[in-house]
């Protein structure tokens, strides 16, 4: 009996060892060294959230920035880009940035105007004539001055990027003159200057998050909207609108923002490398944005059931004059420094 018990114990022990060895549970070798794991414990990750498609001026610039940061920091910093409102949308991204739920976002400056009313200056209609003027303002001392206004929000402003000039699309009838806007429900970004712009011509502005514009156009809860060719093409707005009018009545651009606490936690060397990547991306993206909008406008021209009309210079001039009260509103209610007059020194009248 004793022999039987000892035999059973030895058999069970041997079996356990055999199974353990076979499953690699005993005497397991360390995992082969994986290059990808180098520095994993010291790697810094930046989650970057934005609301547009990847093949747009902002989408491409975000990818380029991610690439350059990784290259310049020798892989020490990884930037994960989340496009198409897949992480946060227009309505919650700034809060998420302030709370540190995301390290970077790239909202339009229009969407920042509820925090910094003075930035409405960039939304003033017919302020800029060319992409070069926009670049000079946004990347020069005026841009720097505007970024300083982020200070009370504990946000680090890395700079400004451009998309392009906005145009109008509509569903029922084409917009040949500003009178054609009367009575339309027009989607805008949330910015009082943009809302005023449509109120002045008798339209009803409807501030809507970008991620909802397509469905609102499709369900006819809005009749028209303003945007760049690249956003109109990449988001398929041409499928739910019948007319586009090239008005160039305003610009659409971005501010590149980082959570300040996160920024301050970065070693100085990394901060410098990030700023270098930012500068390189910015120079590249201003040219790229113009190209993408040009190409996307050509693609829009090829769509069936989508008519493109160019507003005449005479009508643009009338539109500009009609919109003068938006400037009065800005001067009387918003302006708290001389940024508008600084811009007016750069742009041609
Ligand atoms: C919009 O809401 O129309 C734009 O802000 C989208 C974008 O970020 O380009």
């Amino acid at each position: 009996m004793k022999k039987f018990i000892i035999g059973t114990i030895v058999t069970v022990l041997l079996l356990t060892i055999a199974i353990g060895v076979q499953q690699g549970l005993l005497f397991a070798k360390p995992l082969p060294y994986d290059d990808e794991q180098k520095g994993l414990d010291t790697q810094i990750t930046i989650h970057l959230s934005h609301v547009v498609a990847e093949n747009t001026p902002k989408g491409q610039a975000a990818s380029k920035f991610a690439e350059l940061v990784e290259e310049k920091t020798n892989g020490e910093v990884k930037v994960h880009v989340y496009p198409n409102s897949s992480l946060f949308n227009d309505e919650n991204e700034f809060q998420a940035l302030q709370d540190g739920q995301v390290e970077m976002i790239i909202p339009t400056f229009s969407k920042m105007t509820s925090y910094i009313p003075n930035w409405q200056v960039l939304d003033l209609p017919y302020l800029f004539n060319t992409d070069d003027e926009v670049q000079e303002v946004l990347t020069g001392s005026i841009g720097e001055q505007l970024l300083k206004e982020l200070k009370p929000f504990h946000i680090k402003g890395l700079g400004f990027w451009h998309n392009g000039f906005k145009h109008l699309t509509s569903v029922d009838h084409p917009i040949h003159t500003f009178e054609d806007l009367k009575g339309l429900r027009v989607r805008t970004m949330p910015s009082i200057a943009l809302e005023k712009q449509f109120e002045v011509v008798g339209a009803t502005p409807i501030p809507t998050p970008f991620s909802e514009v397509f469905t609102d156009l499709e369900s006819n809860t809005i009749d028209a909207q303003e945007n760049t060719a690249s956003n109109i093409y990449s988001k398929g707005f041409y499928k739910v609108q019948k007319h586009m009018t090239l008005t160039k009545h305003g610009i659409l651009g971005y501010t590149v923002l980082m959570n300040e606490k996160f920024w301050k936690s970065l070693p100085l060397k990394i901060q410098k490398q990030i700023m270098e990547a930012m500068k390189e991306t910015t120079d590249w993206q201003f040219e790229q944005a113009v190209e993408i909008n040009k190409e996307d406008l050509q693609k829009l021209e090829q769509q069936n059931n989508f008519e493109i009309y160019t507003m005449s210079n005479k009508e643009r001039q009338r539109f500009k004059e009609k919109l003068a009260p938006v400037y009065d509103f800005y001067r009387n209610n918003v302006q708290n420094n001389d940024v508008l007059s600084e811009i007016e020194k750069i742009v041609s009248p």
Side-chain angles (χ1 to χ4, degrees), residues 109-114 116-127 166 188-201 205 207 226 249-251 319 322-331 333-335 340:
F109 38 69
S110 319
K111 288 170 191 168
M112 290 298 296
T113 56
S114 56
I116 309 175
N118 204 34
W119 283 18
Q120 285 175 59
V121 69
L122 300 171
D123 282 331
L124 290 175
Y126 290 113
L127 178 59
K166 288 180 294 184
T188 66
M189 292 183 277
S191 159
I192 296 175
L194 297 180
E195 292 173 40
K196 289 268 165 233
Q197 171 188 267
F198 290 109
E199 278 166 12
V200 165
V201 293
E226 54 167 6
H249 64 278
I251 60 159
F319 197 9
K322 179 76 180 170
L323 294 172
V326 185
Y327 281 71
D328 299 337
F329 170 82
Y330 175 76
R331 285 198 182 91
N333 296 285
V334 181
Q335 189 173 21
L340 176 56

Side-chain angles (χ1 to χ4, degrees), residues 190-217:
S191 159
I192 296 175
L194 297 180
E195 292 173 40
K196 289 268 165 233
Q197 171 188 267
F198 290 109
E199 278 166 12
V200 165
V201 293
T204 307
I206 306 193
T208 315
F210 188 58
S211 52
E212 290 167 24
V213 179
F214 183 90
T215 38
D216 285 0
L217 289 171

Side-chain angles (χ1 to χ4, degrees), residues 3 23 53 72 100 164 184 200 227 239 243 247 268 278 300 313 341:
K3 267 190 193 161
Q23 301 286 316
K72 286 182 190 295
L184 298 188
V200 165
N227 231 308
K239 296 177 187 162
H243 309 277
T247 48
L268 283 180
M278 181 62 199
L300 287 169
N313 284 339
S341 30

Side-chain angles (χ1 to χ4, degrees), residues 300-317:
L300 287 169
E301 280 162 355
Q302 287 155 20
Q303 303 306 317
N304 296 327
N305 302 320
F306 189 68
E307 296 295 325
I308 302 185
Y309 172 81
T310 306
M311 188 176 264
S312 69
N313 284 339
K314 188 166 150 247
E315 278 309 321
R316 285 182 78 232
Q317 189 54 36

Side-chain angles (χ1 to χ4, degrees), residues 9 100 134 292:
I9 292 173
V134 179
I292 296 175

Side-chain angles (χ1 to χ4, degrees), residues 51-52 58 90 106-108 111 163 187 189 208-210 225-227 231 252 254:
V51 303
V52 292
K58 176 161 66 179
D90 282 340
I106 318 175
T108 54
K111 288 170 191 168
N163 182 322
R187 181 267 170 172
M189 292 183 277
T208 315
F210 188 58
Q225 64 91 41
E226 54 167 6
N227 231 308
N231 278 347
L252 192 145
Y254 307 106

